[in-house]
Amino acid sequence: MAKNFYITTPIFYPNAKLHMGHAYTVTICDILARAQKLQGKETYLLTGADENTGKILKVVEEQGQTVEEYLNQVTLNFKDLYSKLGISYDQFIKTSDKETHWPGAQALWKKLVETGDIYKATYSGLYCVGCETFYTEKDLVEGKCPVHLTVPEKIEEENYFFKLSKYTQIIKEKIESNELLIVPQTRKNEIVALLDRGLEDISFSRPIKNVPHGIPVPGDPSQVIYVWCDALVNYISALGYGRNTELFEKFWPANVHVIGKDILRFHAAIWPAMLLSAGLPLQKSLLVHGLITSGGHKMSKTLGNVIDPYELIEEYGFEAVRYYLAREVSPFEDGDLTKERFKESYNANLANGIGNLTSRIMKMAQDNLDAPVSIAEREDMSQYFAFYDSFEISKAADFVWNEIKSLDQYIQENQPFKVVKTDKEAGQKMIGELVVRLYSVARMLNPILPETSEKIKALIKENKTPEVPLFVRKD
Ligand code: MSP
C-alpha cells in the first residue's frame, strides 16, 4: 500500500469571510488526513488563498491598505478559523507569494507553451467588471449581468488561449475508467455528459491592467496569467514544482482534491488537461461535496440564515462543529444546518451519547476496579478505516455512534453496577470489558474529535471518571 497521502482543499477567495461552507471543506479534509495518518501514512494537507483576483482592489483602495497588507490580514483570519476548528494543515499556500507559487505557475505555463498548447487570439465578449467574467448574450438577464444587474462592457482583447478541446476524449477515458476517480457517481456522470458535449479552448490570460498584482505571462509582461494556470497550479507549486522537486516527488499525484460541486468543471476537465499537456500524472481522485444550506436554503444575508462558524464554536466548542459536519452532513450531497438541529444533535449524541457514556463507564471503573485496565496496543480497525478510504465520512461516524449506542444498551441490560455488588469478580470483568470497548471508541473518534479521543484515553489510563462532563448539556 502506498505510504503517502496528499489531500488538498480548494484555495479560498480573500474577498469574503469564510463561512460554514468553507469550514465544511477544510474540516472533512482534516478528518480524512487524520484517518490516513492513523493508518500509518505520511500525510500532507494543503490549503490556502486564491489571491490574484481583481475583486479585492476596490476594498483595498477603500481601506487605504496595500494589496499585500490586505491579503496578509485575510490570511491571518483564515488561519485563525482553522486553528479554532482544530485543523492540522501542513502548508497554507498564498498565490501572491512570488517565491513559492509564481515559479510553479510560470514553469507550468512554459511547459504548455513547449507542448504547443498555448496560442494567441483575439477574444471578444461581454465583460462584467464586478464578476471579472465574460458572459455570452444568453447568460444575461435583459441584457444585464445576472449578478450585478449592470450592463456588461463589450470588450475585444488579445489573449492567450489553451487548447482544452484537444484533451476532451482522453480525459473522458480516464474518468470513465476511474483512473481519475470522481466521487460520488452522480458528479462523475455530470462531467462525462459535459465531456460528451465537447470542450472549447479557453482564454488563459488577461491584460495586466485588470489584475495588476497578477502573475506575468512568461515573455509577455503586458498580460497576466488567468485563474486556470494560476489558482489550479497551487496544488503543485506548493510542493515545489518549478523550483525544488523533493516534496513534489514525494506527494504528487495528489490522492484527492476535495472540492464543492460548483468548481467541478475546473478540477475534472481544465486541470487534468493542463497536467496532461505538461506530461504530469493526474490527481488520483476528486471528492465533490454538496453545499451547506440552512433551513433548506442557500445561506444568504438577505434571508438572514447565514451561520457563522465562530458563533457555534464559541457556544458549543470546536468538536461539536466537527461532529455535526462529519455525521449530520453526507459528503456527497447538500447538507442542512440550522441552530435548532445543531443543538438537538449536540445534546443527543455528544452530551448524552459519548459524554454520558464515558462518565458512566469510568465512574464504575473508578469505584470498582483496583487498577487501570491494561489495553492491548494492536487492534484491527480496517473495517472502520475502509469508510474513510472511500470518503464515507458520515458512515464512519455512524459506525462509532452505533458502538456507543450498543455500549449504552449493554449497561442498561446487564447492569454491571449492580452485579459488582453481589458478584464482585463477574461485575469487575464486565466493567473491564466495557473500558476496553470504550478505549476502542476513543481510538475511532480520533479523526472526528481529536481532543475528546485523547481525553478518554487519558481517563482510562488513570482509571478516573471525568471531573466535569465531556460535553455539557445545553438547554
Ligand atoms: N478560489 C476558488 C477555488 C479555486 S481552487 C483551485 C473558489 N473559492 S471560494 O472561496 O469561492 O470557494 C471555495 C470552496 O468553498 C468551493 O469548493 C465551494 O464549493 C465551497 N463553498 C462555498 N460555499 C459553500 C457552501 N455553502 N457549502 C459548501 N461549500 C461551499 O471557488
Side-chain angles (χ1 to χ4, degrees), residues 13 26 42 69 113 162 204 228 232 297 352 386 389 391 452:
Y13 284 129
V26 294
E42 189 175 346
E69 280 163 357
V113 171
F162 172 64
F204 234 46
W228 320 121
L232 290 163
H297 300 284
N352 285 348
D389 295 341
F391 312 128
T452 297

Side-chain angles (χ1 to χ4, degrees), residues 346-418:
Y346 170 91
N347 280 332
N349 302 303
L350 294 176
N352 285 348
I354 184 62
N356 200 18
L357 179 74
T358 305
S359 297
R360 277 173 100 185
I361 295 180
M362 293 317 295
K363 176 87 175 80
M364 287 189 276
Q366 178 181 289
D367 291 349
N368 299 294
L369 303 184
D370 308 322
V373 174
S374 68
I375 306 288
E377 270 316 313
R378 289 242 148 255
E379 187 185 1
D380 179 18
M381 294 205 163
S382 49
Q383 191 194 354
Y384 173 63
F385 282 113
F387 290 116
Y388 290 107
D389 295 341
S390 51
F391 312 128
E392 304 261 18
I393 299 165
S394 48
K395 286 203 180 146
D398 285 344
F399 187 88
V400 187
W401 265 268
N402 282 339
E403 175 64 2
I404 291 171
K405 205 162 120 195
S406 101
L407 285 172
D408 268 332
Q409 256 166 12
Y410 178 90
I411 298 174
Q412 207 162 331
E413 282 162 15
N414 298 287
Q415 309 205 311
F417 46 90
K418 280 194 185 152

